[in-house]
Amino acid sequence: MKDVNDLIGMLRDQLGLPVTAEDAARHLDQVPGWDSVHVLWLVTVLERDAGRRVSLADLLEATSIQEIYELAAA
Amino acid sequence: MGGRAVSTATGSSAEATRDIEPGVRSALASFLALNAEGRLAAEYPVVRRLVAGLDGEELLTAGRLLSRLDPEDVLREHPATPAVSVAITGHGTLSMLVAPLTAQLARHGVLLRPTVGNYDGYVFELSEPGAGATEADLALCVLDPMVVFDEIPVPWRPQDVEQKLAEKVALIEGLTARFTAAARGPLVLNTMPLPRRFTAQLIDHRSRARLGAAWREANARLLRLGTEHSGVVVIDLDPLLAEGVAAYEPRVGVYARAHLSPDLLAAYAREVSHLARNRVGRTKKVLALDLDETLWGGILGDDGVDGIEVAGTFRGEAFKAVQKAAKQFGSQGVLLAAVSKNEAATVSRALREHPEMTLREEDFVRVTANWEPKHENLARLARALNVGVDSFVFADDSAFECGLVRRELPEVAVIHLDGDPAEHVGRLLADGWFDVPELTAEDRTRTEKYRGELVRSDFQHSFDSIEDYLRELDVSVRLSAVEADDVARVSQLTLRTNQFNLTTERLAPAEVQALADDPRSLVLAVRSSDRFGDNGLVGALLAHREADGLHIDNFVLSCRVFSRGIEQACLATVLEHARDTGAGAVFGTYRRSAKNGIVADLFPRFGFHRIGADDAADQPDVAAYRHDLATKLESPSHIRLTVELERQSA
């Protein structure tokens, strides 16, 4: 992932979420179609992409797509 | 959501069949392209074919995307698509079950209408009538080890677990009894895996053994629920775990309280999908097997009868295992057929004379050995057996033959047995294509009956007229009120029969039992026999009384006994019964499906008149009929008819 837009693309293509770049900074409660189950799926997708472990506990604490990106890219 | 599991089908044969060539683009890439274009609903028949070719992570990705789709959008575009409502309840977080279940059902072309209950909501959701679960086509109560361990204090001893297990199993037994009394569809339970993260906390082996024994005893009690209640299916997770699926994924377990691993949920979803398939009447009936390198090692034409490997050698033992598995299927009502590119006489000699052959000619409903394309042989066999090709599973070692059948007959399930023959059995069994909730007496003798049918058809060709033939056939029909022993078979007939099925209303055993117990209802079993033997319980007629007369709710007849006047004998009996009991008229409904065109004119043929045709515009697939009882319908003279409309056991 180069930037948060890659994560947005991943959410659209792998999880089927209708998200756009504008949703990156939104609180996850305000992101259309968001549900905590997406984080559970996302961790596998992110780990496969990054080739390393990403903390699920931290991802579950994240409040926006931007924060998720930062955790995954860190 | 309370709709019955009816595969309402308007056979829109103009369904999109945009050809997507495998090989040009991977199935997943094609699927993702359709998703990106927002065309998953519009192209659902193509989507189904693409998904059928996926597995593992790819299938899961497709499932996640498909689970975002509204089933109603698909039904608007393709009204013939069968849909199943599934209530998901249990102890842990179960939202991760929806994607794999959506994907597994999509492989079979079945749409999922899921309702996921609340965390740990199973006690309430199963005991509250009308809470949704009782109205679903299938109710899944997903049990996990934390049902027990969440309530065990620390420190604990094996006897604490014993006590809690007894409590929980008693609770589930109570819930099951209450639920099955109220529910339409079956309840699906499962055994609970015993995690090492608990057994290993006991440091002495004596305690560990005690815990293990108590745990297995509790699981055995759960499994016994599936043998005692006709409305309960218990999925044993042990065989899935034994294949190497992890029971637990620590992170989703600890952080999300999803107590069964996503991989185990995916394997569980695969098992459930075959129950769903059965619920919409799409269980497979025929296993068509190639011979060379599928049922035996070697090429019969080159190696000769003595040269093929069917036992004894390393590879021979592998093929013997395949033959034994096929024979086991055959003994339970799966029709075995051999479809091979070979000389017929040599194949016949191999099956008859090879001393070590497990499968013999009589195990097959038909052995087809010729040089025709296999899809043509399969289509011909389907016509001869009077079943749809969509009830076929085809297994072959050749990529060419598999590809050709997939391409020409996409509704056939194809199992490619490439690779090591030691793996063939596992591949044959990977999907429960033939799974049913329970077997009936009919299943045990099905091959024999269908073979008899093929003999009857030869016999028929020796007569000049159909009347002569029917007289010589010496048909007996017995029409009787359904008894407890008939319930499973009557349910199965509503589930398996697609052609002679007036409304395609599928009924679970519990639903048949409820109707049989209702004093307003008339549930009749149809049995027939002829000079070639007993056909068994071949049909059912369901009706109920109202103030204006007797209403026929459905009439199903096995395709084995079509065109013998049996339907006329049944209708004549019901009309006479209506007249004798003072009913003013008899009403009937025909609901068109993709496959029941054969009975479209059944009611008018026997003196019923169409009613309500003027306001039928909003339901073009449904036609209502009325018989005023002014004229008498005679039972055909060639049929010996016995009628017992009173139940022997009330």
Short mmCIF file of all heavy atoms in Angstrom, two decimals, chain B residues 538-572:
data_model
loop_
_atom_site.label_atom_id
_atom_site.label_comp_id
_atom_site.label_asym_id
_atom_site.label_seq_id
_atom_site.Cartn_x
_atom_site.Cartn_y
_atom_site.Cartn_z
N VAL B 538 -44.74 -43.68 -4.11
CA VAL B 538 -44.29 -42.93 -5.28
C VAL B 538 -44.93 -41.56 -5.41
O VAL B 538 -44.57 -40.79 -6.30
CB VAL B 538 -44.59 -43.70 -6.59
CG1 VAL B 538 -43.67 -44.90 -6.73
CG2 VAL B 538 -46.05 -44.11 -6.67
N GLY B 539 -45.90 -41.25 -4.54
CA GLY B 539 -46.54 -39.95 -4.69
C GLY B 539 -47.25 -39.52 -3.44
O GLY B 539 -47.39 -40.29 -2.48
N ALA B 540 -47.69 -38.25 -3.43
CA ALA B 540 -48.43 -37.73 -2.29
C ALA B 540 -49.41 -36.68 -2.79
O ALA B 540 -49.11 -35.95 -3.74
CB ALA B 540 -47.49 -37.12 -1.26
N LEU B 541 -50.56 -36.66 -2.15
CA LEU B 541 -51.55 -35.63 -2.47
C LEU B 541 -51.93 -34.95 -1.16
O LEU B 541 -52.26 -35.63 -0.19
CB LEU B 541 -52.76 -36.27 -3.15
CG LEU B 541 -53.75 -35.27 -3.78
CD1 LEU B 541 -54.36 -35.87 -5.04
CD2 LEU B 541 -54.83 -34.83 -2.82
N LEU B 542 -51.82 -33.62 -1.15
CA LEU B 542 -52.10 -32.87 0.07
C LEU B 542 -53.27 -31.93 -0.18
O LEU B 542 -53.28 -31.20 -1.19
CB LEU B 542 -50.87 -32.05 0.48
CG LEU B 542 -49.62 -32.89 0.76
CD1 LEU B 542 -48.62 -32.75 -0.37
CD2 LEU B 542 -49.00 -32.48 2.07
N ALA B 543 -54.25 -31.97 0.70
CA ALA B 543 -55.43 -31.12 0.54
C ALA B 543 -55.93 -30.69 1.91
O ALA B 543 -55.50 -31.23 2.94
CB ALA B 543 -56.52 -31.88 -0.21
N HIS B 544 -56.81 -29.67 1.92
CA HIS B 544 -57.46 -29.30 3.18
C HIS B 544 -58.88 -28.85 2.91
O HIS B 544 -59.20 -28.42 1.79
CB HIS B 544 -56.66 -28.21 3.90
CG HIS B 544 -56.75 -26.87 3.24
ND1 HIS B 544 -55.95 -26.52 2.18
CD2 HIS B 544 -57.56 -25.81 3.48
CE1 HIS B 544 -56.27 -25.28 1.79
NE2 HIS B 544 -57.24 -24.84 2.55
N ARG B 545 -59.72 -28.97 3.92
CA ARG B 545 -61.13 -28.61 3.77
C ARG B 545 -61.36 -27.17 4.17
O ARG B 545 -60.81 -26.69 5.15
CB ARG B 545 -62.01 -29.51 4.64
CG ARG B 545 -62.14 -30.89 4.08
CD ARG B 545 -62.98 -31.79 4.98
NE ARG B 545 -62.68 -33.18 4.64
CZ ARG B 545 -61.68 -33.88 5.17
NH1 ARG B 545 -60.91 -33.32 6.09
NH2 ARG B 545 -61.43 -35.12 4.80
N GLU B 546 -62.19 -26.48 3.38
CA GLU B 546 -62.67 -25.16 3.77
C GLU B 546 -64.17 -25.17 3.57
O GLU B 546 -64.73 -26.16 3.07
CB GLU B 546 -62.01 -24.07 2.91
CG GLU B 546 -60.60 -23.76 3.36
CD GLU B 546 -59.98 -22.57 2.63
OE1 GLU B 546 -60.75 -21.67 2.23
OE2 GLU B 546 -58.75 -22.58 2.46
N ALA B 547 -64.84 -24.05 3.93
CA ALA B 547 -66.30 -24.01 3.84
C ALA B 547 -66.76 -24.25 2.40
O ALA B 547 -67.78 -24.91 2.16
CB ALA B 547 -66.81 -22.66 4.35
N ASP B 548 -66.00 -23.74 1.41
CA ASP B 548 -66.48 -23.84 0.03
C ASP B 548 -66.08 -25.16 -0.65
O ASP B 548 -66.46 -25.41 -1.78
CB ASP B 548 -65.96 -22.65 -0.79
CG ASP B 548 -64.45 -22.55 -0.77
OD1 ASP B 548 -63.80 -23.33 -0.03
OD2 ASP B 548 -63.89 -21.71 -1.51
N GLY B 549 -65.33 -26.00 0.02
CA GLY B 549 -64.99 -27.28 -0.59
C GLY B 549 -63.61 -27.76 -0.20
O GLY B 549 -63.00 -27.27 0.76
N LEU B 550 -63.13 -28.74 -0.95
CA LEU B 550 -61.83 -29.36 -0.68
C LEU B 550 -60.78 -28.69 -1.57
O LEU B 550 -60.96 -28.59 -2.80
CB LEU B 550 -61.92 -30.86 -0.98
CG LEU B 550 -60.70 -31.69 -0.61
CD1 LEU B 550 -60.53 -31.79 0.89
CD2 LEU B 550 -60.82 -33.09 -1.21
N HIS B 551 -59.67 -28.24 -0.96
CA HIS B 551 -58.62 -27.56 -1.72
C HIS B 551 -57.39 -28.46 -1.82
O HIS B 551 -56.83 -28.86 -0.80
CB HIS B 551 -58.23 -26.24 -1.03
CG HIS B 551 -59.31 -25.21 -1.10
ND1 HIS B 551 -59.21 -24.06 -1.86
CD2 HIS B 551 -60.54 -25.18 -0.53
CE1 HIS B 551 -60.33 -23.36 -1.74
NE2 HIS B 551 -61.15 -24.01 -0.94
N ILE B 552 -56.99 -28.78 -3.04
CA ILE B 552 -55.79 -29.57 -3.24
C ILE B 552 -54.58 -28.63 -3.17
O ILE B 552 -54.45 -27.72 -3.99
CB ILE B 552 -55.81 -30.30 -4.60
CG1 ILE B 552 -56.99 -31.28 -4.65
CG2 ILE B 552 -54.50 -31.05 -4.84
CD1 ILE B 552 -57.18 -31.96 -6.00
N ASP B 553 -53.73 -28.82 -2.14
CA ASP B 553 -52.59 -27.92 -1.95
C ASP B 553 -51.41 -28.33 -2.80
O ASP B 553 -50.63 -27.50 -3.25
CB ASP B 553 -52.18 -27.89 -0.48
CG ASP B 553 -53.32 -27.39 0.40
OD1 ASP B 553 -53.85 -26.31 0.08
OD2 ASP B 553 -53.71 -28.09 1.35
N ASN B 554 -51.25 -29.62 -2.98
CA ASN B 554 -50.17 -30.07 -3.87
C ASN B 554 -50.39 -31.55 -4.21
O ASN B 554 -51.09 -32.27 -3.51
CB ASN B 554 -48.79 -29.88 -3.24
CG ASN B 554 -47.69 -29.83 -4.31
OD1 ASN B 554 -47.98 -29.83 -5.51
ND2 ASN B 554 -46.44 -29.80 -3.88
N PHE B 555 -49.77 -31.95 -5.29
CA PHE B 555 -49.85 -33.33 -5.75
C PHE B 555 -48.50 -33.61 -6.40
O PHE B 555 -48.08 -32.87 -7.30
CB PHE B 555 -51.00 -33.45 -6.76
CG PHE B 555 -51.27 -34.86 -7.27
CD1 PHE B 555 -50.73 -35.98 -6.66
CD2 PHE B 555 -52.12 -35.04 -8.36
CE1 PHE B 555 -51.00 -37.26 -7.13
CE2 PHE B 555 -52.41 -36.30 -8.84
CZ PHE B 555 -51.84 -37.42 -8.22
N VAL B 556 -47.77 -34.59 -5.87
CA VAL B 556 -46.47 -34.93 -6.45
C VAL B 556 -46.44 -36.41 -6.78
O VAL B 556 -47.05 -37.23 -6.10
CB VAL B 556 -45.29 -34.60 -5.49
CG1 VAL B 556 -45.23 -33.13 -5.17
CG2 VAL B 556 -45.38 -35.38 -4.20
N LEU B 557 -45.74 -36.74 -7.84
CA LEU B 557 -45.65 -38.13 -8.27
C LEU B 557 -44.23 -38.34 -8.80
O LEU B 557 -43.72 -37.52 -9.58
CB LEU B 557 -46.68 -38.36 -9.38
CG LEU B 557 -47.16 -39.78 -9.65
CD1 LEU B 557 -47.77 -40.42 -8.40
CD2 LEU B 557 -48.22 -39.76 -10.76
N SER B 558 -43.61 -39.42 -8.38
CA SER B 558 -42.26 -39.71 -8.84
C SER B 558 -42.24 -39.91 -10.36
O SER B 558 -43.16 -40.50 -10.93
CB SER B 558 -41.77 -40.99 -8.15
OG SER B 558 -40.70 -41.53 -8.87
N CYS B 559 -41.16 -39.44 -10.97
CA CYS B 559 -41.07 -39.52 -12.43
C CYS B 559 -40.99 -40.97 -12.90
O CYS B 559 -41.18 -41.27 -14.07
CB CYS B 559 -39.87 -38.73 -12.92
SG CYS B 559 -38.35 -39.16 -12.08
N ARG B 560 -40.73 -41.92 -11.97
CA ARG B 560 -40.65 -43.32 -12.38
C ARG B 560 -42.01 -43.87 -12.83
O ARG B 560 -42.07 -44.85 -13.55
CB ARG B 560 -40.16 -44.19 -11.21
CG ARG B 560 -38.76 -43.93 -10.78
CD ARG B 560 -38.19 -45.16 -10.07
NE ARG B 560 -39.13 -45.81 -9.18
CZ ARG B 560 -39.25 -45.54 -7.88
NH1 ARG B 560 -38.49 -44.62 -7.33
NH2 ARG B 560 -40.12 -46.18 -7.14
N VAL B 561 -43.11 -43.26 -12.35
CA VAL B 561 -44.42 -43.86 -12.60
C VAL B 561 -45.36 -42.95 -13.40
O VAL B 561 -46.56 -43.05 -13.30
CB VAL B 561 -45.09 -44.29 -11.27
CG1 VAL B 561 -44.27 -45.36 -10.59
CG2 VAL B 561 -45.29 -43.11 -10.35
N PHE B 562 -44.78 -42.05 -14.19
CA PHE B 562 -45.59 -41.20 -15.06
C PHE B 562 -46.33 -42.04 -16.10
O PHE B 562 -45.92 -43.16 -16.40
CB PHE B 562 -44.70 -40.25 -15.86
CG PHE B 562 -44.15 -39.11 -15.07
CD1 PHE B 562 -44.40 -38.97 -13.73
CD2 PHE B 562 -43.36 -38.15 -15.72
CE1 PHE B 562 -43.88 -37.91 -13.03
CE2 PHE B 562 -42.83 -37.10 -15.01
CZ PHE B 562 -43.09 -36.98 -13.67
N SER B 563 -47.35 -41.44 -16.67
CA SER B 563 -48.01 -41.97 -17.87
C SER B 563 -48.57 -43.37 -17.70
O SER B 563 -48.49 -44.20 -18.58
CB SER B 563 -47.04 -41.99 -19.07
OG SER B 563 -46.28 -40.83 -19.09
N ARG B 564 -49.11 -43.65 -16.54
CA ARG B 564 -49.73 -44.96 -16.31
C ARG B 564 -51.15 -44.80 -15.80
O ARG B 564 -51.75 -45.75 -15.33
CB ARG B 564 -48.95 -45.73 -15.26
CG ARG B 564 -47.58 -46.06 -15.73
CD ARG B 564 -46.85 -46.80 -14.66
NE ARG B 564 -45.45 -46.82 -15.03
CZ ARG B 564 -44.51 -47.38 -14.31
NH1 ARG B 564 -44.83 -47.95 -13.17
NH2 ARG B 564 -43.27 -47.35 -14.70
N GLY B 565 -51.66 -43.56 -15.78
CA GLY B 565 -53.02 -43.33 -15.29
C GLY B 565 -53.11 -43.24 -13.78
O GLY B 565 -54.20 -43.15 -13.22
N ILE B 566 -51.94 -43.26 -13.10
CA ILE B 566 -51.98 -43.22 -11.63
C ILE B 566 -52.56 -41.88 -11.15
O ILE B 566 -53.34 -41.84 -10.21
CB ILE B 566 -50.58 -43.47 -11.05
CG1 ILE B 566 -50.16 -44.91 -11.36
CG2 ILE B 566 -50.53 -43.21 -9.56
CD1 ILE B 566 -48.75 -45.28 -10.92
N GLU B 567 -52.19 -40.79 -11.84
CA GLU B 567 -52.69 -39.49 -11.43
C GLU B 567 -54.21 -39.41 -11.56
O GLU B 567 -54.90 -38.82 -10.73
CB GLU B 567 -51.99 -38.36 -12.21
CG GLU B 567 -52.13 -38.39 -13.72
CD GLU B 567 -51.09 -39.26 -14.42
OE1 GLU B 567 -50.66 -40.27 -13.83
OE2 GLU B 567 -50.75 -38.95 -15.57
N GLN B 568 -54.73 -40.06 -12.62
CA GLN B 568 -56.19 -40.05 -12.82
C GLN B 568 -56.88 -40.83 -11.70
O GLN B 568 -57.90 -40.39 -11.16
CB GLN B 568 -56.53 -40.65 -14.19
CG GLN B 568 -58.01 -40.54 -14.52
CD GLN B 568 -58.31 -41.09 -15.91
OE1 GLN B 568 -57.42 -41.20 -16.75
NE2 GLN B 568 -59.56 -41.43 -16.14
N ALA B 569 -56.31 -41.96 -11.32
CA ALA B 569 -56.88 -42.76 -10.24
C ALA B 569 -56.91 -41.95 -8.94
O ALA B 569 -57.89 -41.98 -8.19
CB ALA B 569 -56.06 -44.03 -10.05
N CYS B 570 -55.86 -41.19 -8.69
CA CYS B 570 -55.78 -40.39 -7.47
C CYS B 570 -56.83 -39.28 -7.47
O CYS B 570 -57.55 -39.07 -6.49
CB CYS B 570 -54.39 -39.78 -7.31
SG CYS B 570 -53.11 -41.01 -7.07
N LEU B 571 -56.88 -38.55 -8.59
CA LEU B 571 -57.84 -37.44 -8.65
C LEU B 571 -59.27 -37.97 -8.58
O LEU B 571 -60.13 -37.38 -7.92
CB LEU B 571 -57.62 -36.61 -9.92
CG LEU B 571 -56.40 -35.68 -9.89
CD1 LEU B 571 -56.24 -34.97 -11.22
CD2 LEU B 571 -56.50 -34.65 -8.76
N ALA B 572 -59.54 -39.09 -9.25
CA ALA B 572 -60.88 -39.68 -9.22
C ALA B 572 -61.28 -40.00 -7.78
O ALA B 572 -62.40 -39.73 -7.34
CB ALA B 572 -60.92 -40.93 -10.09
#
